[in-house]
Amino acid sequence: MRRKGGVYILYVQVDYYASSLSRAVSRTFKVSCSQPQADNPLQTTFISGVTNCTPDFMEGQTVQLMPTFDSVGSGTWYVKVQGPIGFMMSLDAAQSNGYKFYNDNNNNVVARVRFNAMGIQKLASVPGGQTLYLADFSLEYMYPDGKITISFLLVCVPRAVTCSQSGMSIILPTQDLKFQKVKIGSQVYTSSPAPTAITLVVVSTFVRILVPFSYPLMSNKPCPGGMMQVLPTTWITFSYKSIKVDMMFNPTCPCQRKGQTVVSLCQNGLMSFEVNSNATQPPLNLTSVQLLDPSCQPSVVSATGLMYSFPLTSCGTITKMLGGRLVYENEVRVMPQTELGIITRDSEFILTVLCYYNDTADKNLSLTVLTNAPPAPAMNIGNLTVVLRAYPDEMYRIPYRDQDYPVVKYLRDPIYLEVQVLNRQDPNIELVLENCWATASPNPISLPRWAVIAAGCAYGGDDYQTVMHPMSSFTGIQFPSHYKRFDVKAFAFVSSGAALSSAVYFHCSALICDIANPDSTACTSICPVTQPLRFRRSSSGGQDHAILGEVVSSLPGPIAVRKKSITKAGMITTDSSSKKVKVQTGQPLWTTLLVVGVILVMVTLAVACLAFRLQRNKLL
């Protein structure tokens, strides 16, 4: 092939034996054209919009449209990254910045991208920690007379799956994406009509897919030392700038092994948990379930499971101190029944349940079953810490330190309190107070107990009502929705008119709510409330998707409430008694003596007058 004056010329020499001439013949043919079609720059319109999404990387592939990477001639490879700041880099530079390109066994072009690769866009996150990543780039092969381009558009939400005692939850942030459908195995679901086999929640900022473990396509697979629940390959279809993109992944719950422990915060003085019959394969014999106290029975019995909810000090529950926490522990056990003491066909099940109270309550962990073949646990990505603090005044500048307790207050003095979510930079969550109350001991469930906030409102049964301080009146706070501030008038506990103690301990329960669900009844308050305490979630009848966590927090120490007394000399003294007192204003000493003298003179005159009248009557 030669190029002369803009014309491409191809000379073909053909050597053959001509039998008619009885000799070898050599002929040369010339073919010419102004521009060979094969050398036209190949600009493909094909986009790799199917993403294989894994916890560590996302991957896309296209059909083979170019020579393999190992057989490149005079051309050069480049990677062009699209986005807010577009740029181009060589193939070697891309390989060292989180990109990997190779040909698979079918000579398809495969692009693998890590989530920290240069130019990857982090579009959105949700409070649970799920993050949406987007990779918009093209692989270009440039050679002297043209260019070949293949575009990739990849979307991925790594670790989108969390698991609870009852099922699997898939949460997908959707900023700049429009949800179209989800395909689980061979089953396709859209938001309209609403599916019945699964729960599909589609809002402007995220998609939540709830798949129960009873779902027909859910299966158990063995894993080292246990079992795990898995779904078949799942496809989520989105639209991005009118381009169809698919995210493909394999939803899997973590492997559950024997020997783990259920840990949660103690709630409302109760230990609550669930035992599912499908926690093992073969299913559990629910009639053989026993606690430490075998006489304890479940509160709810169904064909598929047992629900237990009992006071912390019952059913054989034991207490211990671990790391400064008072921990309550019980154990659920199902021992396999044997035949003649030789063989068994039953599953063994051991579930250790722990719950505790803590000064700074973390988001309660979901149940994790202890069994040879249990369901997967709910995962809690990131710590969620809520604290209850007291401040010296209404400015809320510097809270009392732990070493400042007990903090001394006098009867009816305001106690300025604050509940705050710590270490979170998420503007989409809101702290919602549920109940705040006081006790005479550090135990939040002890008696006596006095409510100061009930169901998010100042308790209406108190003559000295709690005063709520709206966060709009405070400046310089980055996330006002992470705070609640209020003050309580100091009081003391009494019993039959006698003081119990001068120490008052404050506690608050709160909900962490998703602002994206404004219609949640549990995350809203209707005031006034006159009931002493009302836990709004107890009557919800089901899972409220707006609630991201529930916490209980206590002050680091007590408030020491004292009374003021007045001496006869008009001096104010204090003591730590909590008896009911009536404070009066004292008078100067000379004023008191003058009044007493006048009264004595009047009494003396009255007696003398009475005696004179009696004597006069006798004379008459």
Side-chain angles (χ1 to χ4, degrees), residues 124-142:
S125 296
V126 293
Q130 293 84 358
T131 302
L132 171 65
Y133 293 90
L134 182 140
D136 187 359
F137 63 96
S138 58
L139 181 63
E140 299 183 353
Y141 176 55
M142 297 183 181

Side-chain angles (χ1 to χ4, degrees), residues 269-340:
L270 300 176
M271 180 177 287
S272 302
F273 56 90
E274 184 179 358
V275 179
N276 289 329
S277 61
N278 63 354
T280 62
Q281 292 295 330
L284 288 174
N285 180 4
L286 295 178
T287 61
S288 301
V289 175
Q290 291 185 350
L291 303 184
L292 289 179
D293 181 356
S295 65
C296 277
Q297 299 299 316
S299 55
V300 178
V301 178
S302 68
T304 59
L306 306 175
M307 177 67 74
Y308 286 90
S309 183
F310 51 84
L312 295 174
T313 56
S314 64
C315 293
T317 304
I318 60 176
T319 59
K320 59 179 69 174
M321 291 297 296
L322 294 176
R325 297 171 175 170
L326 180 63
V327 177
Y328 299 84
E329 178 179 327
N330 210 310
E331 183 178 88
V332 182
R333 183 178 290 268
V334 179
M335 298 306 297
Q337 299 179 359
T338 63
E339 298 182 20
L340 302 177

Side-chain angles (χ1 to χ4, degrees), residues 22 25 57 66 68 86 100 124 189 228 238 243 265 269 322 362 446 484 533 539 547 561 567 589 597 600 613:
S22 300
V25 178
F57 57 83
M66 62 191 73
T68 64
K100 181 180 180 181
Y189 304 99
M228 59 185 181
F238 301 101
I243 300 173
L265 288 177
L322 294 176
D362 291 336
S446 63
K484 286 293 182 292
L533 288 177
S539 60
I547 299 175
V561 180
T567 67
L589 182 58
L600 290 176
R613 288 183 178 180

Side-chain angles (χ1 to χ4, degrees), residues 12 140 171 194 233 256 289 317 378 383 387 417 447 532:
V12 179
E140 299 183 353
I171 301 178
T233 300
Q256 283 299 284
V289 175
T317 304
N383 291 328
V387 295
L417 300 175
L447 296 176

Side-chain angles (χ1 to χ4, degrees), residues 221-241:
K221 286 191 176 181
C223 57
M227 298 288 288
M228 59 185 181
Q229 279 73 29
V230 299
L231 283 176
T233 300
T234 299
W235 298 66
I236 312 292
T237 302
F238 301 101
S239 174
Y240 176 74
K241 296 181 179 179

Side-chain angles (χ1 to χ4, degrees), residues 32 92 164 199 210 291 337 404 440 454 459-460 473 491-492 586 589 595 598-599:
S32 64
D92 290 339
S164 66
T199 301
L210 301 176
L291 303 184
Q337 299 179 359
D404 294 333
Y459 173 45
S473 60
F491 58 90
L589 182 58
V595 172
V598 171
I599 293 173

Side-chain angles (χ1 to χ4, degrees), residues 13-201:
Q13 179 177 318
V14 180
D15 297 324
Y16 62 96
Y17 181 81
S19 57
S20 60
L21 300 176
S22 300
R23 62 184 178 85
V25 178
S26 178
R27 293 180 179 272
T28 300
F29 300 90
K30 184 176 79 169
V31 180
S32 64
C33 61
S34 59
Q35 192 170 16
Q37 182 69 25
D39 285 347
N40 275 340
L42 182 57
Q43 300 289 345
T44 67
T45 57
F46 180 81
I47 295 179
S48 177
V50 178
T51 306
N52 178 22
C53 182
T54 76
D56 301 312
F57 57 83
M58 48 184 166
E59 194 174 71
Q61 72 174 31
T62 72
V63 296
Q64 173 66 30
L65 295 178
M66 62 191 73
T68 64
F69 292 103
D70 298 328
S71 60
V72 176
S74 59
T76 304
W77 291 100
Y78 291 95
V79 175
K80 185 176 182 180
V81 179
Q82 309 291 336
I85 303 178
F87 59 92
M88 182 177 288
M89 53 185 167
S90 66
L91 184 64
D92 290 339
Q95 302 270 29
S96 61
N97 282 282
Y99 297 82
K100 181 180 180 181
F101 301 93
Y102 62 95
N103 294 106
D104 62 11
N105 294 333
N106 297 321
N107 273 338
N108 294 321
V109 178
V110 180
R112 177 177 295 179
V113 185
R114 297 196 173 274
F115 301 113
N116 60 351
M118 182 181 296
I120 297 304
Q121 302 177 53
K122 182 178 177 181
L123 292 186
S125 296
V126 293
Q130 293 84 358
T131 302
L132 171 65
Y133 293 90
L134 182 140
D136 187 359
F137 63 96
S138 58
L139 181 63
E140 299 183 353
Y141 176 55
M142 297 183 181
Y143 56 98
D145 298 304
K147 180 175 70 172
I148 299 175
T149 301
I150 297 182
S151 298
F152 292 88
L153 184 60
L154 309 179
V155 293
C156 182
V157 181
R159 298 173 179 85
V161 176
T162 60
C163 298
S164 66
Q165 186 78 358
S166 58
M168 179 184 295
S169 175
I170 303 171
I171 301 178
L172 306 165
T174 56
Q175 180 173 327
D176 297 334
L177 299 179
K178 183 178 180 181
F179 172 81
Q180 293 184 348
K181 64 182 178 180
V182 55
K183 181 181 179 182
I184 303 176
S186 59
Q187 301 297 313
V188 178
Y189 304 99
T190 59
S191 57
S192 180
T196 56
I198 65 173
T199 301
L200 181 59
V201 180

